[in-house]
Amino acid sequence: QQQQQQQQSDCPIPEEVRNDASKFGVYNVYNQRIDGNATASSSSSASSSSQERGGFRFLGRLDPRNNMPLLANQKRAPGQKIALSTEREASKIPKSGAGTTWQYPSAQMFYNALVRKGKADDVDENDVATVVSVHNAMNEDTWDRVVTWEKLHPRAAEDEGPKLVRFRGRPDDLSPLAWARYLMGGGKPFDRHDWWIERGDEEIRYVVDYYFKEDKAGTPEQFELVVRPALDSVGSAMDRAKMFTYVNCARFGVPCPITGSSSVIGEKAVAAGEKK
């Protein structure tokens, strides 16, 4: 019985996920599918070479699809000088298929990710907790903006509202909008995320560009978030056109030509943009 309990505790798939699967699959923070529909080959295909790759043995087995750890790693990194918290904070972002919200990585997990990406040399270990706090706050802000966009689809949100299915960091891939801003003399974003959300029976991709404003460093306006649905469908293109209309009508205080009245959605989007 003790052995059975140990096997259950070692299972990488949380109990609530095993009992409540999403139609789109259930993913972890590494963009890896962890529900019962995940193919066995995807988890067993991590070869011994990936497990022993470079100086990252302490991370455990890596997934060859994205070079990310198969399991959340809370181990101390080689050469790490101080102990970092392994506590994880719950977000307010609903997790598709799990009946709960997403959990943010701990300070230790965050630092291990920096080590894996070769970015830990520029980070003071004493500042990691603060960096994690800023990271979490930006994700909460991102979700608030996604929810504002999703108000364009009230029927799909009648029951429980949108949920986050999965996400993927793409810091080296400039979005078309980011390219346009750069060519017009603007700076490049320091990060990009793609978020897939559940809207009723649909899975919708959002693109998020994160900018840092040097001239406003140390102020609440130092980060700029540009959140919008990806142009994967005609519907998403129409959503962008609607939001553009709503935002500008709200900004200039004129009635919306679509509804004939002031736009609450536009006002919320403007307010979100002003607080960045």
Side-chain angles (χ1 to χ4, degrees):
Q1 184 178 1
Q2 184 176 1
Q3 183 178 3
Q4 183 179 6
Q5 290 177 345
Q6 176 66 30
Q7 290 175 344
Q8 288 176 347
S9 64
D10 290 341
C11 179
I13 305 177
E15 183 178 357
E16 68 270 14
V17 172
R18 284 177 261 153
N19 296 334
D20 184 12
S22 164
K23 65 177 74 68
F24 303 112
V26 182
Y27 294 77
N28 62 15
V29 295
Y30 302 127
N31 193 30
Q32 298 156 342
R33 192 164 179 176
I34 61 173
D35 61 304
N37 293 323
T39 58
S41 60
S42 66
S43 61
S44 62
S45 61
S47 63
S48 58
S49 62
S50 67
Q51 186 174 357
E52 300 295 327
R53 185 177 300 158
F56 302 127
R57 293 181 180 87
F58 79 101
L59 291 175
R61 192 168 53 168
L62 300 181
D63 189 330
R65 295 171 300 171
N66 52 15
N67 200 27
M68 297 288 283
L70 281 168
L71 299 176
N73 173 49
Q74 299 274 27
K75 295 180 181 178
R76 192 163 177 157
Q80 183 178 325
K81 299 179 179 62
I82 67 172
L84 296 174
S85 173
T86 58
E87 294 295 321
R88 302 183 65 179
E89 178 183 339
S91 76
K92 67 180 180 186
I93 305 173
K95 186 171 185 177
S96 176
T100 184
T101 60
W102 284 86
Q103 282 201 327
Y104 290 120
S106 67
Q108 184 65 64
M109 292 170 64
F110 195 92
Y111 184 74
N112 288 343
L114 293 176
V115 172
R116 180 183 54 80
K117 296 174 183 178
K119 298 180 180 180
D121 292 341
D122 299 328
V123 177
D124 186 331
E125 293 175 19
N126 294 289
D127 295 335
V128 173
T130 301
V131 174
V132 170
S133 178
V134 172
H135 164 271
N136 296 353
M138 284 200 297
N139 278 286
E140 296 290 313
D141 193 1
T142 300
W143 182 249
D144 286 341
R145 295 169 192 243
V146 168
V147 170
T148 298
W149 276 94
E150 287 302 299
K151 290 184 183 299
L152 294 172
H153 301 272
R155 291 186 179 179
E158 281 179 356
D159 296 331
E160 300 177 1
K163 302 179 185 69
L164 180 60
V165 178
R166 58 191 173 102
F167 56 90
R168 179 187 175 196
R170 301 176 61 184
D172 300 321
D173 299 329
L174 285 183
S175 66
L177 179 58
W179 264 116
R181 289 181 56 155
Y182 176 65
L183 293 175
M184 294 176 65
K188 292 182 179 180
F190 67 84
D191 200 2
R192 169 192 169 175
H193 282 185
D194 284 13
W195 289 24
W196 286 262
I197 66 108
E198 175 186 337
R199 179 198 296 161
D201 294 327
E202 296 180 275
E203 185 180 64
I204 307 297
R205 180 170 68 99
Y206 276 79
V207 179
V208 188
D209 290 324
Y210 297 92
Y211 293 86
F212 180 75
K213 297 183 176 181
E214 292 284 353
D215 59 330
K216 296 184 178 179
T219 72
E221 294 81 29
Q222 63 184 340
F223 295 110
E224 178 185 3
L225 282 61
V226 182
V227 182
R228 69 279 187 196
L231 293 177
D232 295 336
S233 66
V234 174
S236 290
M238 292 179 63
D239 282 354
R240 286 202 189 186
K242 289 178 184 177
M243 186 63 80
F244 177 83
T245 303
Y246 290 153
V247 166
N248 283 282
C249 287
R251 182 172 287 130
F252 294 106
V254 298
C256 175
I258 299 175
T259 63
S261 60
S262 60
S263 171
V264 175
I265 296 175
E267 291 171 354
K268 288 185 177 180
V270 170
E274 290 176 345
K275 75 175 183 177
K276 64 178 180 287

